[in-house]
Amino acid sequence: MQRFSGLSLLRRGLAGQRGWQPQWRHADPKPSYDALIIGGGGHGLGTAYYLASEHRLTNVAVLEKGWIGGGNTGRNTTIIRSNYLFPESAALYDHALKLWESLSQALNYNVMFSQRGVLMLAHTVHDVQVAKRHVHANRAAGVDNEWLTPREARAFCPLLNIGDIRYPVLGAALQRRGGTARHDAVAWGYARAADALGVDIIENCEVTGIRRNADGAVEAAETTRGTIRAPRIGVAAAGNTSVILKMADVELPLESYPLQALVSEPVKPVFPCVVMSNTIHAYISQSDKGELVIGAGTDAYTSYTQRGGPHITSHALEAICELFPMFRRMRMLRCWGGIVDVTPDRSPIIGRTGVPGLYVNCGWGTGGFKATPGSAHVFAWTIARDEPHPLNAAFTLERFRDGNLIDEAAAAAVAH
Amino acid sequence: MLLIECPYCGERPEPEFVYGGQAHVARPRMPAEVSAEEWARYLYLRDNARGVHAERWRHTHGCGRFFNALRDTTSDQFLATYKVGEAPPATAQVSR
């Protein structure tokens, strides 16, 4: 792997940018591996990277049916935060946030992580109570979060309209360590680093079956590029996880919904932070390219189409125009959908499946990007040791049977 | 935006409707007598089908009535809508 440094950039620049090598090999599948990861998004590529870098498991392949980072990793709004209510969630997401803080250095790849602060608005008395409860719970758990008055919120985000609006801003919770990262760079950075450690990244390879031996344990994945044997298979397939797990007769409490986002034409830097409002449903930040990146809600119905209805995106834009009147004349360039796998309690499932050798990392719903490094890190541990990392021990499949929900859905009282 | 045919009112735009999740999920008659697995299955496990999906809709801003639909989740095309209590039409008979 060619390492990036200021010196190497300068040298190649002066040489006319010639001599750069591809960032990862285009591997063809071998007949067998020690472990397979199904799903070449951030979570799957990260899992392969941590298997190789922390657990010395380098005979690993990542199988991706399209191109890496072409699913939800390339479709999200890149927001990173860890201010979840329950101790299990806050610990898992803050583990991810701590890994984000040194990820560019670890991967030798600039993921453009920017801790510009995430402001979550409160518009009703109930919002204020819920947000303050989150602030106190987070601070007690060692996760930064602070309460701002409406004026303080406007001082932090000067474009914010706090008064002349149908649902006035009554305050906001601010996580200063939160922010954004370049989502494509996360996939590419993990792919490059995993490839350098020997991991095969196999694109255009769709899994069509999971073969099990007489004991019921997994032994191979049937794919569009042939049968690939492996004693361990980890699935990180987001919205298509139900489909993959059904191949091994495992049923999951998941439903797949379209989640839409859109970007505006690029403009000069105007927006200093991330603002989200669960109540009137809008998420907004500005990318380094200058586009406003806007997140809308999920469509009402389950679907695998990676698109959704325009009434969902226009609803989000109505909220944006109320909160930031200066954006009313902005033109939107593109919108798209991703398929998100939602659990009943809006918390992920990371762990064993009941089928020996088969592991699943799913149910990240509408908020998986922020967790990418932490999710990948604990999932690699789970696959390598056949037991959960302490941080994902509570995120089992069995919690739905046993009633041990981690009910972030109820905690936020809205889709999130 | 979906165009949905309410069996009572005809075709109407999606915002008139509320989605009601998977259809034909029967509540166990004696909840106290079923196992934890069966109860969790009723509460949480859904087909999440990639393909034809039987689902409930309610025409909230119209007649207010629930009905069922068959929809292909890979195209969002409705194959049929039918009244509550009726069996789902065989998908092979539905013209696409």
Side-chain angles (χ1 to χ4, degrees), chain A residues 137-381:
Chain A
N138 287 156
R139 293 171 76 101
V143 174
D144 80 300
N145 200 353
E146 59 194 276
W147 177 252
L148 303 187
T149 65
R151 282 177 181 282
E152 288 168 337
R154 193 175 58 191
F156 189 76
C157 183
L159 306 188
L160 184 63
N161 173 16
I162 57 175
D164 178 23
I165 179 173
R166 170 68 181 83
Y167 295 100
V169 175
L170 302 184
L174 170 64
Q175 186 175 30
R176 292 184 191 271
R177 285 162 66 230
T180 60
R182 170 116 194 261
H183 49 190
D184 297 324
V186 176
W188 299 336
Y190 272 126
R192 173 174 172 270
D195 174 88
L197 294 169
V199 171
D200 279 358
I201 292 156
I202 302 165
E203 297 176 285
N204 298 310
C205 180
E206 182 170 359
V207 172
T208 55
I210 291 178
R211 217 166 67 197
R212 296 162 65 183
N213 63 22
D215 301 329
V218 298
E219 62 174 16
E222 310 279 1
T223 78
T224 50
R225 297 183 67 179
T227 300
I228 308 173
R229 300 177 67 87
R232 281 178 277 205
I233 297 179
V235 181
N240 285 290
T241 304
S242 300
V243 178
I244 303 277
L245 269 283
K246 260 178 215 165
M247 296 171 187
D249 302 321
V250 177
E251 291 181 293
L252 294 171
L254 292 178
E255 290 192 289
S256 297
Y257 291 92
L259 177 68
Q260 296 182 76
L262 59 167
V263 292
S264 73
E265 58 193 334
V267 291
K268 288 185 178 177
V270 289
F271 201 74
C273 58
V274 179
V275 173
M276 24 189 308
S277 167
N278 283 333
T279 298
I280 61 175
H281 221 115
Y283 305 74
I284 182 168
S285 62
Q286 187 175 22
S287 73
D288 290 350
K289 203 159 67 178
E291 303 154 324
L292 298 179
V293 182
I294 295 168
T298 51
D299 281 78
Y301 47 85
T302 61
S303 179
Y304 289 82
T305 57
Q306 293 186 318
R307 55 177 187 256
H311 56 296
I312 302 292
T313 44
S314 64
H315 181 69
L317 290 175
E318 285 161 12
I320 295 294
C321 290
E322 284 256 291
L323 288 170
F324 307 102
M326 74 177 285
F327 292 150
R328 281 178 184 169
R329 291 167 65 193
M330 292 283 284
R331 282 164 293 205
M332 295 297 133
L333 281 192
R334 303 189 303 280
C335 69
W336 62 88
I339 300 303
V340 298
D341 44 328
V342 177
T343 60
D345 62 0
R346 302 300 189 273
S347 288
I349 300 166
I350 316 166
R352 293 182 290 201
T353 59
V355 173
L358 185 65
Y359 307 87
V360 70
N361 183 355
C362 66
W364 289 98
T366 60
F369 176 73
K370 66 173 82 69
T372 303
S375 151
H377 186 257
V378 299
F379 193 41
W381 172 299

Side-chain angles (χ1 to χ4, degrees), chain A residues 5 76 124 179 190 206:
Chain A
S5 66
N76 61 75
T124 65
Y190 272 126
E206 182 170 359

Side-chain angles (χ1 to χ4, degrees), chain A residues 78-148:
Chain A
T78 79
I79 298 171
I80 294 165
R81 60 184 178 89
S82 64
N83 50 356
Y84 281 70
L85 180 63
F86 291 108
E88 298 89 346
S89 318
L92 181 61
Y93 286 100
D94 210 54
H95 179 56
L97 186 44
K98 285 174 186 151
L99 289 169
W100 277 116
E101 286 169 339
S102 59
L103 192 61
S104 292
Q105 288 76 15
L107 300 179
N108 181 236
Y109 201 91
N110 186 3
V111 298
M112 297 166 75
F113 180 49
S114 160
Q115 293 179 293
R116 58 186 69 178
V118 174
L119 201 58
M120 299 176 76
L121 303 179
H123 302 270
T124 65
V125 171
H126 175 73
D127 275 2
V128 171
Q129 291 167 346
V130 169
K132 285 186 173 174
R133 184 181 174 211
H134 274 68
V135 168
H136 294 313
N138 287 156
R139 293 171 76 101
V143 174
D144 80 300
N145 200 353
E146 59 194 276
W147 177 252
L148 303 187

